[in-house]
Amino acid sequence: MYDKNLGTKQKALRINLDPQIYGSFAEIGAGQETAAIFFKAGGASGTVAKTMSAYDMTFSDAIYGTEDSGRYVCEPRLIKMIHKEYSLLEKRLAEQRGADSKFFAFANTVVALNYHKTNIAHGWIGLRFQLTPGGDYNEVVIHVKMLDDENVLQQQALGVIGVNLIYGCFYYPTSPETLLLSLMDDLSPERLEIDMIRFSGPDFMGVDSRVMSLHLVKNGFTNAALFGADGGVLQPSEAFYKKHILIMRGRLRPITNVHIDLIENGTRQFVAEPDVDPDRVLMVSELTLRNLQSDDEDNIDEKDFLDRVDILCSLGHMVMISNYHEYFRLVAYLSELTRLKIGLLLGIPSLQNIFEEKYYDFLRGGILESFSTLFSRKVKLLIYPTLREDDTIYSCENFEVADNLKPLFEYLVINDKIEDIRDYNVEYMRWTTDQVLAMVKRGEAGWEDLVPDSVAEIIKDKCLFGFPCVVYDVAGARKSGVVGVGENQ
């Protein structure tokens, strides 16, 4: 049972007193902080097979091999460390104590705050471990950012989360969400951020790391999590390094032809910009926590979340979930990850909200403070127009803005910060996402023409978003309205 009040030393001592848990520690970059806690707790001889720290790059390369990237604080280096140490443990001790021990290899590779406090402190932490003696191994890997402004405090935080990871893997393996929550015991989001987590191994076969990443954002451990087009979790700073980020935000339930039209034409204009390298552009679809919540409750339907992610990934999109409800906060975050130009694909309603002063009452400098962040960097807003009820096009050319903000809007247009998406399909604009969703739920004829063909197939085959299906149970009986592959009504 999870006890959030269990202290770090108590966790280390409990592990030390467990006669089965036995393994190695390899820590590079901020001292052997995790191993030190186990030694100080007492009884470490029953847990620690070896500790090591190869700070010198030549020694590190000799032990773990070189990295093609030349970087040492990266996931490939962590995986090499875990693999090496675990393999040595099995090779040297399997015969002697393998029948009675649950082996583990803990590793981290981090860069803590330098003397001048000019770097970004972050690191990779991972554990390879058995849950039964002689059994197959599992792995949990996380990426963290250390936020304390003193090196010694960052080292202390690393030690704590290292103990939490080892304890959680051995004592909460059947409840991955509890394991995740326990990682921040004795810590706070002001001290340390976890922006990626990945589970693998036979004991985590039913765990979807994307859902766990959602819980990272939902619980405030990070403000954003990222998935690749293959559905695998990614670490944002590595994925966006030296890339142009082109991002579209929406509920995307479901993604429709108008979204595809926006993306394709907006991308075409963005890559044509003189300061954009087409080979470095990443298209990202973003879902905020607010997008994922239903209208009448704060809960998030995890299956619905995964359905949307699966559809977006099937279209080749990277997917980000974030807690950045305001665009200026999103831009501030992305600008920390890349120095290259960023593009935001928006509809006119979103642009209208950006120019509503009431949304910035919480800022001392109001709308100007938000705009100083949103537009001070290499950012371009590409705006998709809207079809009005009288069949006229509403775009930047006839954008309606408060009189006191008209000069500001005109300045941004003249200085190439805001631009209309010039090519668009008017027929796609006649249907809103909510209208398409309502048609899907009713099984109304014609909705398939309003979404990409591949999306329509997925929705019908898997009965997504309330689409009425007829499916069969294992006995062959017909069951309607059940998620599954079946015969369409």
Side-chain angles (χ1 to χ4, degrees):
M1 183 175 292
Y2 177 45
D3 181 0
K4 64 183 299 184
N5 297 314
L6 192 64
T8 305
K9 184 177 179 180
Q10 292 171 290
K11 288 184 177 182
L13 180 60
R14 182 177 179 184
I15 293 172
N16 283 346
L17 296 179
D18 188 319
Q20 287 192 317
I21 300 175
Y22 197 70
S24 297
F25 295 79
E27 302 181 76
I28 298 178
Q32 294 183 290
E33 298 301 321
T34 302
I37 294 174
F38 284 94
F39 284 125
K40 293 174 182 177
S45 61
T47 298
V48 182
K50 181 185 76 173
T51 70
M52 68 164 297
S53 187
Y55 273 77
D56 186 274
M57 290 184 289
T58 302
F59 271 93
S60 184
D61 288 344
I63 298 170
Y64 302 116
T66 59
E67 300 298 330
D68 293 337
S69 65
R71 302 164 71 184
Y72 289 84
V73 182
C74 60
E75 187 176 12
R77 171 62 73 177
L78 176 77
I79 300 303
K80 286 180 180 178
M81 294 169 68
I82 293 174
H83 174 77
K84 178 74 172 182
E85 299 305 326
Y86 192 86
S87 298
L88 286 174
L89 200 64
E90 285 195 313
K91 180 179 180 180
R92 294 172 178 172
L93 297 176
E95 185 175 342
Q96 178 183 347
R97 57 181 303 165
D100 301 312
S101 297
K102 294 184 286 188
F103 289 141
F104 73 87
F106 171 86
N108 64 40
T109 175
V110 303
V111 54
L113 198 64
N114 62 29
Y115 179 77
H116 299 288
K117 300 183 180 181
T118 56
N119 66 320
I120 296 176
H122 72 105
W124 291 90
I125 307 173
L127 187 75
R128 179 176 288 190
F129 64 102
Q130 296 173 316
L131 284 177
T132 56
D136 292 332
Y137 63 77
N138 305 281
E139 283 184 4
V140 178
V141 172
I142 62 176
H143 180 267
V144 301
K145 294 180 182 178
M146 291 91 78
L147 307 177
D148 287 311
D149 59 3
E150 296 292 339
N151 183 285
V152 67
L153 294 176
Q154 292 188 353
Q155 292 181 22
Q156 189 265 344
L158 280 169
V160 172
I161 197 170
V163 173
N164 288 344
L165 176 61
I166 297 171
Y167 189 90
C169 287
F170 280 111
Y171 292 100
Y172 307 131
T174 60
S175 177
E177 186 176 350
T178 300
L179 193 162
L180 182 149
L181 288 172
S182 73
L183 292 176
M184 292 293 279
D185 288 352
D186 279 354
L187 294 169
S188 71
E190 290 74 34
R191 296 196 63 193
L192 192 139
E193 175 185 345
I194 308 172
D195 63 1
M196 196 218 78
I197 188 166
R198 180 183 295 118
F199 293 79
S200 61
D203 294 294
F204 294 129
M205 290 294 290
V207 179
D208 193 315
S209 292
R210 297 171 301 176
V211 173
M212 293 299 104
S213 298
L214 171 63
H215 284 294
L216 288 178
V217 179
K218 182 180 176 181
N219 288 294
F221 293 178
T222 187
N223 283 309
L226 184 68
F227 317 120
D230 62 355
V233 294
L234 301 174
Q235 200 282 312
S237 62
E238 291 205 350
F240 291 151
Y241 181 66
K242 292 186 177 180
K243 300 291 185 181
H244 295 285
I245 306 169
L246 186 60
I247 195 163
M248 178 192 67
R249 167 180 290 181
R251 291 182 64 196
L252 306 176
R253 190 175 189 267
I255 189 167
T256 66
N257 288 335
V258 75
H259 294 119
I260 301 300
D261 198 44
L262 184 161
I263 292 169
E264 290 179 350
N265 292 304
T267 300
R268 190 177 299 115
Q269 283 182 221
F270 184 72
V271 299
E273 295 279 315
D275 53 351
V276 171
D277 180 352
D279 295 330
R280 292 179 177 270
V281 175
L282 292 180
M283 175 62 213
V284 181
S285 293
E286 184 208 11
L287 302 166
T288 67
L289 287 186
R290 197 171 290 168
N291 293 147
L292 293 171
Q293 292 168 349
S294 61
D295 295 333
D296 58 349
E297 57 182 321
D298 292 334
N299 293 329
I300 294 174
D301 184 334
E302 292 178 359
K303 183 191 176 302
D304 176 75
F305 158 69
L306 288 176
D307 291 341
R308 283 188 258 183
V309 172
D310 286 341
I311 286 177
L312 292 168
C313 289
S314 74
L315 296 172
H317 295 198
M318 297 178 76
V319 182
M320 186 169 77
I321 51 173
S322 84
N323 203 23
Y324 296 113
H325 302 304
E326 298 88 5
Y327 275 104
F328 76 91
R329 295 192 190 280
L330 173 64
V331 167
Y333 168 72
L334 296 178
S335 297
E336 292 178 354
L337 307 178
T338 182
R339 295 182 180 180
L340 301 185
K341 192 168 190 175
I342 298 168
L344 302 182
L345 301 176
L346 310 175
I348 277 285
S350 295
L351 184 65
Q352 202 87 57
N353 288 336
I354 287 174
F355 275 86
E356 286 286 350
E357 291 190 272
K358 64 182 180 181
Y359 294 129
Y360 308 105
D361 289 343
F362 65 95
L363 294 175
R364 185 180 235 177
I367 192 171
L368 289 180
E369 182 177 337
S370 74
F371 277 25
S372 69
T373 299
L374 179 56
F375 293 106
S376 64
R377 296 161 171 82
K378 292 183 179 180
V379 177
K380 181 73 171 281
L381 273 58
L382 293 158
I383 311 301
Y384 194 81
T386 295
L387 186 66
R388 285 173 157 164
E389 291 183 1
D390 61 1
D391 252 17
T392 60
I393 295 295
Y394 182 33
S395 67
C396 291
E397 291 186 1
N398 55 353
F399 185 61
E400 297 172 359
V401 63
D403 290 342
N404 64 311
L405 296 177
K406 284 182 180 178
L408 179 56
F409 174 73
E410 292 170 357
Y411 169 85
L412 294 169
V413 172
I414 292 171
N415 284 275
D416 202 32
K417 292 290 188 179
I418 299 177
E419 180 178 293
D420 273 322
I421 292 177
R422 293 181 291 273
D423 296 322
Y424 47 83
N425 189 316
V426 175
E427 292 306 310
Y428 291 160
M429 298 179 184
R430 300 187 185 279
W431 300 92
T432 67
T433 304
D434 288 340
Q435 288 173 325
V436 174
L437 179 61
M439 292 176 68
V440 170
K441 289 181 176 179
R442 294 192 298 266
E444 185 176 323
W447 69 264
E448 296 97 330
D449 298 328
L450 305 177
V451 302
D453 291 341
S454 62
V455 173
E457 290 178 10
I458 294 173
I459 291 174
K460 291 190 291 185
D461 288 346
K462 296 187 176 181
C463 307
L464 304 184
F465 309 133
F467 179 70
C469 290
V470 172
V471 297
Y472 300 91
D473 62 20
V474 291
R478 291 163 63 93
K479 301 193 300 181
S480 63
V482 181
V483 174
V485 178
E487 179 182 283
N488 302 323
Q489 282 185 334

